[in-house]
Amino acid sequence: LIPWLRHKNSAGCHIYARPVAPHSFTLLDDLSLSQLDRLACLSPVAIVETSPANYQGWIRHERVLEPGLSTVIAKYLADAFDADPSSADFRHFGRLPGFTNRKSKYEKQGRFPFVRLISTAPRSVSPSGSMISNCEQALVLERARAQEQRRRRLTDAIARPRRSVDIATFHTSPQYQGDLHRADFAYALAASATGETVEMIADAILGARDLAHKGDTHRQQEYARRTAEKAVTFVRGNAA
């Protein structure tokens, strides 16, 4: 791949790399030399200079981390070492040494700085066991809180008095300019938001207008149910 990557790089492309998840690494981006000095306590497995006096540090932990935990740890370390928080997650790419950083702000007389591997310690493992345990506990608590919030929202939705939605108001609305397919789906979204089921929405669509152009009764039922299911899935997905 190297010749192809060189060709793409010379054409203006950025060349990045990352471990395949799940993995045991954390990337810290946008580090200065003083930040690298502080980072030494975690025994970085690699230091990469991405542009003049700007660095990325790779930390290797003692075990493979599931993606959610990996992201929590990345955010924790980014905060602790003043690294770029927008680069703190398990799937973030790091720049690949040996290629140029093609950001226009670094161009000088048509040339771009090379991304350089400053140091590497392939066998280095960070002494981060206690930090991982703390982040793991925080992640468990956060997921429990999120699950409880979803449960409460669902309970509130079930207990809330349902408002009736009239499909005829959608069919006659000038907003849809006579496009009854759009009107059906808009009705289905509104009805789903009030707690109506797929069956209730599909029945309303079937009873509201002549659907003979859809084919036989089976095809008409398929259309109504498909429309209802899409709306319910969309509404529930956004509520979660």
Side-chain angles (χ1 to χ4, degrees):
L1 288 177
I2 298 299
W4 179 76
L5 292 175
R6 284 176 175 166
H7 168 71
K8 300 300 288 186
N9 191 216
S10 65
C13 295
H14 297 274
I15 309 300
Y16 299 99
R18 69 180 179 192
V20 176
H23 54 73
S24 59
F25 298 94
T26 294
L27 171 67
L28 296 180
D29 192 18
D30 201 15
L31 300 170
S32 64
L33 281 174
S34 62
Q35 288 167 289
L36 286 182
D37 289 340
R38 292 169 51 207
L39 193 64
C41 65
L42 292 182
S43 305
V45 69
I47 299 296
V48 176
E49 185 180 44
T50 60
S51 60
N54 194 281
Y55 303 88
Q56 290 178 335
W58 288 94
I59 306 300
R60 184 178 186 178
H61 303 287
E62 60 188 12
R63 62 184 173 93
V64 171
L65 308 170
E66 59 98 356
L69 178 59
S70 183
T71 294
V72 170
I73 290 172
K75 292 185 181 300
Y76 176 91
L77 290 177
D79 181 64
F81 291 93
D82 299 319
D84 182 4
S86 64
S87 302
D89 64 67
F90 79 97
R91 56 177 164 246
H92 200 78
F93 287 91
R95 288 192 179 273
L96 191 59
F99 299 92
T100 55
N101 184 333
R102 299 289 300 197
K103 285 186 176 180
S104 57
K105 66 181 180 179
Y106 297 128
E107 181 182 5
K108 290 185 178 180
Q109 299 178 338
R111 295 178 179 273
F112 296 86
F114 274 91
V115 178
R116 300 191 304 146
L117 182 63
I118 301 301
S119 66
T120 181
R123 298 181 184 276
S124 177
V125 176
S126 170
S128 56
S130 59
M131 183 268 294
I132 291 177
S133 296
N134 292 338
C135 288
E136 203 162 24
Q137 292 174 16
L139 180 61
V140 169
L141 291 174
E142 179 57 33
R143 286 175 172 172
R145 281 194 293 267
Q147 185 175 11
E148 176 62 17
Q149 289 175 352
R150 287 194 294 269
R151 186 193 66 78
R152 288 180 179 177
R153 284 199 298 268
L154 181 59
T155 301
D156 291 344
I158 293 172
R160 189 182 305 126
R162 291 178 178 172
R163 297 166 293 159
S164 60
V165 179
D166 184 4
I167 191 172
T169 61
F170 290 86
H171 285 177
T172 58
S173 172
Q175 177 180 351
Y176 304 108
Q177 301 178 341
D179 187 342
L180 298 184
H181 291 88
R182 288 177 58 208
D184 283 343
F185 189 62
Y187 156 75
L189 288 173
S192 178
T194 68
E196 293 193 16
T197 64
V198 168
E199 290 73 18
M200 295 166 65
I201 296 170
D203 286 345
I205 293 173
L206 286 169
R209 62 188 176 100
D210 183 6
L211 292 173
H213 63 284
K214 293 291 184 183
D216 58 23
T217 301
H218 178 68
R219 288 184 176 274
Q220 294 175 36
Q221 291 172 342
E222 279 189 334
Y223 163 75
R225 186 170 185 86
R226 185 169 60 250
T227 302
E229 287 177 342
K230 285 182 179 179
V232 170
T233 299
F234 178 83
V235 170
R236 288 180 179 174
N238 279 278

